[in-house]
Each structure stands twice: as structure tokens, then as C-alpha cells.
Amino acid sequence: MTEVKLYDTTLRDGAGREGISFSVTDKLHIVQRLDDLGVHFIEGGWPGSNPKDADFFDKARKLTLTNSVLGAFGSTRHAKAKAETDANLQALVNAGVKLVTIVGKSSALQVTEVLETTLDENLSMVADSIQYLKSKGLAVFFDAEHFFDGFKTDPNYTLRVLTVAAEAGTDCLVLCDTNGGALPNEITVAIKAARKTTSLPLSIHTHNDGGLAIANTIAAVTAGVDQVQGTINGYGERCGNADLCTLIPTLKLKMGIDCVTDEQLAKLTEVAHYISETANLAPDTFLPYVGTSAFTHKFGLHVSGLKKWTDAYQHIDPNRVGNQMKVLISELSGKGNVLYKARERGLDLPQQGKEVQKLLEQIKLLESQGFHYDNAEASFDLLVYRAKPDYQPPFELVDFMVVVEKRRRPPTQKSLEEMLSEATVKVKIGTEIIHTVAEGNGPVNALDQALRKALLQFYPSLSQVNLVDYKVRILEESVGTGSQIRVIIESSDGVEEWRTVGSSTNIIEASWLALADSLEYWLLKQKRQGNTL
Ligand SMILES: [Zn+2]
């Protein structure tokens, strides 16, 4: 079986993504996670480029890694300088690691146009730097920058750089598609040429500027490279690097390359989410394998197929990468979606009979009115409860009134104007009608206050419930102030969080529906769990 080693550069190249800035502590935690995942090499940073990375390597000495080798990144010595006195190389030697990766130019044009030195001086820079680091007992990977672009314009020089690096004693040659513009067939041709030039291990490092980082990496593996480089979630400068979260399962599950164990592979989704949280970025839900949408099914036809045979509409078993299958409820759903979702939510709904059909029709009608249950599971649960003929709601809305007033204050006061909101609600609880009034800092807040005032008399434990998020969306299908409005409310009782939806052409009514659903859901859940209200 082909062996391919994994090299992660999330902490160096990945941090090049707009908006990412890892703290030293973040980096230490990430290294631990990557070690758990079974990545062979972890590039921790560039100690010569900033004091934070130098500090990181200082603290990383205390880490005990089981699977991974931690490495530092740097560049070849400066032109017309000495390797022994080059600050960059010194920082690498002092980083306290056993592995270093140094980047050097392998494109003739880049040498003359950007580095502004001679082709021979560049070769000396590569050779000197590698020899110096080797003399310090380090494993050295040589990162051939612009390898594929260089190979296209001047293949002889580009391959000469590889030979020089190999003769200087490098342990691995990293072939980089630095600008991310190569095509898979170009990768194949260049790697085959490199393979003929040297017997040293080869590595591939791609960027996603042409949307081909993964395709190019796979082409390189097929052409015989020994190592792949990438980042978690594909983070990286511009359009990012090759995404290890796609590469690892592709290598293992599709190409039969055992780069991690089954247990390590099952941690992939968790690691991907952990790192996006640490990077303070919302996880990309649409990423292959690890995105929350990667195994989410919406079409009724697909869901009914999946119920018969789980692989019917999935390319792999999501559990293998630590992800899970999800079924959405929408206007595209069939009975299968509703039954699947109800089972997933722990609700009992008879497989046969009119109940499911009626519920499905109800959902489709509500969806056409702007309700949406994808992200409002609590409102979905309520639809299932309400479909039962013997359902007794804990309360019923009779009516409400909201007054919003803008008042002018006397000129002596700081703010000349103030907004007042007052809500009156009528709620039926059992046989009683409760009538309450409350003020709020806005109309929705006033409604919330008035409704709670009524319900708390009967259900004092409801005081635990708080509104944590309130989102309003004007639906695309309609335009202007007459348009349909959807409100999603997220609530919490300190233990669980749940979401409810309301929709109307009136923002207050949409909010009212979502608000009432939130409280009704919580009360029912307490009742089902046998808690006192
Ligand atoms: Zn890169």
C-alpha cells in the first residue's frame, strides 16, 4: 500500500487567512488536537518572522506529542549573506525543534524579478542554508516555492534547484503551487519530472486559487508523492490551502491510503469545528465531509431512499469522519422527512394513518407562508404535538394589542424624545382568561413582558427561560414594506437552547408567534419530563 504522510500548516500558512490571528495558547491547543488526529508533521510557525511565534516555540518545548513531529518554518539565507550569521536561520536553530522547513525560490523568473539576484546566487543560498541546518542536526524539508510555475517557464532551472537541495542534504522536497493556479495535468507532468530527477521523498503543497487545491493534491499523490501538505478547513491566504479535512478521508476512504487510523479519522469533524471556533470563525457548514450540511438531506425522494438504504444518497458513512446524517423539513419534504425528523427528535408519530399526511400538508402550507423549520426544531416539535387530536396546549393566545408612542420631553431633559411601548395581552389558560399589560423597551419586549406576566401566575418556573437571540429576515420572494417577515427566536433555560419561528407580513405578529412557541415548547418539555411548573 502506498504510504502518504500528512503535513499540517494551519498554524503558519493557515493563519494567512483574512481574519485569523491565533494566540500562543490557541496554537498550543491546536497542536495537541492535530497530534490526536494523527497528523505526522505540524508546522508551528515562523520564529524568525515574529516574536509571537518565537514565544510559541519556547512554550511548545513542554508539549508531549504522541503522533506528530513539530516543525518550524523559515526561509533560505539572504542573498550575499552567510548562513551562520543569518538571523532567520538562527531563529530556526534556536526554536528547539527537530524539523525545519525552509522556503527557497525554484522559479528562475522569481529569482531575477523578485529576489533580484543571480540564478547562481540563489542556488548557493539553497545549498548553504540546507547544509548549515543539517550541520545542526536538524531534519530539513526544502520548500520549492513557485515550483510548478517555474517548471512551465524554465524547467531546467527549476529541476536544478531540486538537485542542488538534494545534494545539500535535504530530507524532503516540497513542491509548491504557490499561486494556486496550476491544473491537475500540469501537476502530474511536473511531478513525474521531479521524480526522475531525485529519489528523495516528495511533498505537494497546493493553494486553492483555481478551486483545484484538492484535485491537484490528488493528482500529485497519484503521480507518486510521499507527503501532502494542507490546513484544517482549508484555511490560508486568499482562497486558502488544500483542505486536510477533505484530503484525509479522500486518501483513506477512497484511495485506500492508511494515513490515519479509523479512530483518528472519526475525530475529524470535531477537530475541524474546534479549530474554526479557536480561529473565531463560524464553521463552514458546506465543507465536504466535516460541514454540518455535508450529510443533510432535504429532498423527499432522497429521504425516502435513505430510509431503505442509508448509502442511497451519501458517498460515505458520515460516522466514519465523526459527522452525522441530518434530515430537513421543508416544502420539498415527503412523508419520510417528517417521520425521520420526528424519530430524530424523540417524538412518537404513527408511521401509518392520516396523521403524517395531515402534518406534511400543514408544514407545506406554513412554509408557503414564510415559516421555515430547518433551524426551528422546537416549532417543528409543536406542529407534531398539535397534530394529535387530544392535544391540550398549556395556554392559548386570545389577542394582543401593542402601542408604540414617540413622546417629546421637556427641553431640560438630556434626550428630547423617548419611545414608549406598551402591550396588552389576553391569554386563555384552562378555562380562565388572563388579561395583562406591560411596558417594554420596544414592542416585542413589551409583548414578551406581558405574556410572561400572565403565564408566570400559573407557571412560575417559566422565569428560567430567557431570550438569547432574535433574528428578523425579510423574505426574498417579496419586496418592500409589504413583504413577508420571518422571525427566529433562540431561547435558553440555562441548560438547553432551542429555536422557534414565526412568520407574518407584520413583524410584531411574527415575533409574537415565535415567542409564544418558545414558551409553549418549554412548558411541554417540562411536562413530558415530569417537572413541576
Ligand atoms: Zn502556501
Side-chain angles (χ1 to χ4, degrees):
M1 188 187 289
T2 326
E3 224 192 294
V4 173
K5 301 271 193 230
L6 306 169
Y7 184 108
D8 177 280
T9 177
T10 308
L11 298 175
R12 202 267 311 168
D13 231 6
R17 175 177 159 137
E18 226 176 305
I20 290 188
S21 172
F22 293 122
S23 70
V24 171
T25 318
D26 291 340
K27 293 181 92 164
L28 293 167
H29 288 158
I30 290 173
V31 168
Q32 216 84 60
R33 292 297 180 117
L34 293 170
D35 182 46
D36 286 349
L37 185 63
V39 166
H40 304 92
F41 305 105
I42 302 170
E43 193 172 87
W46 189 332
S49 75
N50 66 82
K52 195 164 82 178
D53 279 5
D55 184 27
F56 160 79
F57 281 105
D58 220 32
K59 298 206 161 77
R61 288 169 204 255
K62 292 206 185 84
L63 294 174
T64 356
L65 302 179
T66 315
N67 305 305
S68 312
V69 174
L70 181 66
F73 184 87
S75 67
T76 52
R77 70 157 170 83
H78 286 91
K80 311 272 180 229
K82 277 195 158 63
E84 299 77 40
T85 50
D86 187 278
N88 227 308
L89 295 177
Q90 284 308 315
L92 286 176
V93 172
N94 295 333
V97 290
K98 294 193 174 70
L99 165 70
V100 296
T101 298
I102 51 163
V103 59
K105 301 263 179 232
S106 68
S107 149
L109 271 175
Q110 292 279 338
V111 174
T112 51
E113 301 305 308
V114 179
L115 203 57
E116 295 177 328
T117 191
T118 64
L119 297 178
D120 281 343
E121 172 62 5
N122 180 56
L123 294 178
S124 307
M125 286 160 68
V126 171
D128 287 358
S129 307
I130 294 171
Q131 278 162 1
Y132 173 69
L133 294 168
K134 286 307 291 180
S135 77
K136 297 290 170 186
L138 295 164
V140 180
F141 291 178
F142 177 70
D143 194 282
E145 196 191 42
H146 293 111
F147 173 80
F148 296 95
D149 293 337
F151 184 81
K152 261 199 263 184
T153 47
D154 187 347
N156 289 335
Y157 185 76
T158 296
L159 293 173
R160 178 88 191 108
V161 174
L162 295 192
T163 310
V164 165
E167 285 167 1
T170 189
D171 298 279
C172 177
L173 292 161
V174 185
L175 311 177
C176 297
D177 183 23
T178 309
N179 297 357
L183 296 173
N185 60 312
E186 295 167 352
I187 297 275
T188 307
V189 172
I191 296 221
K192 284 187 174 159
R195 187 78 291 171
K196 270 195 197 149
T197 309
T198 170
S199 57
L200 274 180
L202 297 177
S203 172
I204 179 78
H205 178 109
T206 63
H207 280 261
N208 204 32
D209 302 73
L212 292 167
I214 293 291
N216 286 341
T217 306
I218 298 300
V221 170
T222 310
V225 298
D226 309 272
Q227 184 194 99
V228 295
Q229 298 203 350
T231 60
I232 298 293
N233 297 322
Y235 292 155
E237 206 180 15
R238 308 185 307 274
C239 315
N241 288 52
D243 184 354
L244 281 180
C245 297
T246 302
L247 271 179
I248 295 171
T250 302
L251 292 175
K252 187 168 167 81
L253 303 177
K254 313 253 161 147
M255 299 174 79
I257 297 169
D258 240 357
C259 48
V260 292
T261 65
D262 286 344
E263 295 73 40
Q264 288 165 339
L265 185 65
K267 291 180 184 165
L268 191 68
T269 300
E270 191 195 314
V271 172
H273 292 182
Y274 176 82
I275 291 176
S276 63
E277 292 302 336
T278 309
N280 206 12
L281 294 170
D284 180 350
T285 55
F286 300 105
L287 281 185
Y289 297 98
V290 296
T292 47
S293 300
F295 303 95
T296 296
H297 304 278
K298 190 162 169 180
F299 295 124
L301 174 73
H302 293 185
V303 175
S304 66
L306 282 160
K307 278 178 69 211
K308 294 174 195 149
W309 174 31
T310 46
D311 289 346
Y313 288 93
Q314 297 186 152
H315 70 130
I316 61 149
D317 171 4
N319 292 315
R320 298 215 57 187
V321 292
N323 206 341
Q324 55 191 21
M325 181 171 133
K326 227 169 80 183
V327 166
L328 296 181
I329 296 299
S330 74
E331 77 281 8
L332 306 173
S333 305
K335 275 202 289 193
N337 294 53
V338 176
L339 282 166
Y340 187 94
K341 191 79 189 169
R343 197 171 0 139
E344 189 188 83
R345 302 280 306 155
L347 305 171
D348 93 86
L349 188 65
Q351 298 262 340
Q352 308 300 331
K354 287 206 177 107
E355 212 173 309
V356 186
Q357 188 55 41
K358 265 179 78 181
L359 186 56
L360 181 63
E361 280 162 19
Q362 170 85 358
I363 288 168
K364 291 193 174 187
L365 178 72
L366 288 165
E367 289 256 351
S368 73
Q369 294 168 0
F371 288 80
H372 201 51
Y373 296 91
D374 275 7
N375 195 25
E377 320 81 3
S379 286
F380 171 78
D381 286 13
L382 287 171
L383 290 179
V384 177
Y385 291 130
R386 289 172 190 150
K388 297 191 185 300
D390 58 344
Y391 179 66
Q392 293 280 346
F395 64 91
E396 283 172 88
L397 308 170
V398 181
D399 51 43
F400 72 83
M401 193 171 74
V402 183
V403 183
V404 180
E405 213 182 330
K406 187 167 161 179
R407 284 189 194 153
R408 239 187 137 72
R409 287 174 166 174
T412 47
Q413 293 197 9
K414 257 191 197 162
S415 155
L416 282 178
E417 287 170 349
E418 68 176 340
M419 293 290 293
L420 280 182
S421 299
E422 191 179 278
T424 309
V425 305
K426 250 188 249 170
V427 183
K428 191 172 164 213
I429 302 171
T431 51
E432 263 184 85
I433 301 265
I434 317 293
H435 197 159
T436 50
V437 183
E439 283 185 354
N441 57 17
V444 178
N445 181 247
L447 266 178
D448 186 26
Q449 299 301 327
L451 181 58
R452 280 163 190 268
K453 214 170 174 180
L455 297 178
L456 280 169
Q457 300 170 34
F458 292 79
Y459 310 115
S461 61
L462 204 60
S463 60
Q464 296 165 43
V465 176
N466 285 310
L467 224 116
V468 290
D469 198 13
Y470 173 85
K471 281 198 185 79
V472 178
R473 181 170 300 174
I474 296 169
L475 302 180
E476 296 155 11
E477 301 90 272
S478 44
V479 278
T481 48
S483 51
Q484 198 75 24
I485 288 160
R486 179 187 301 145
V487 168
I488 298 264
I489 285 180
E490 189 172 326
S491 313
S492 169
D493 57 7
V495 183
E496 193 205 356
E497 280 168 10
W498 62 95
R499 279 160 298 275
T500 49
V501 61
S503 175
S504 167
T505 48
N506 181 308
I507 187 169
I508 309 279
E509 194 194 11
S511 308
W512 168 251
L513 292 168
L515 202 60
D517 264 16
S518 164
L519 302 179
E520 185 172 344
Y521 167 82
W522 190 82
L523 290 170
L524 286 172
K525 202 186 81 183
Q526 301 310 307
K527 230 166 127 185
R528 281 176 84 204
Q529 293 173 350
N531 297 338
T532 40
L533 293 168

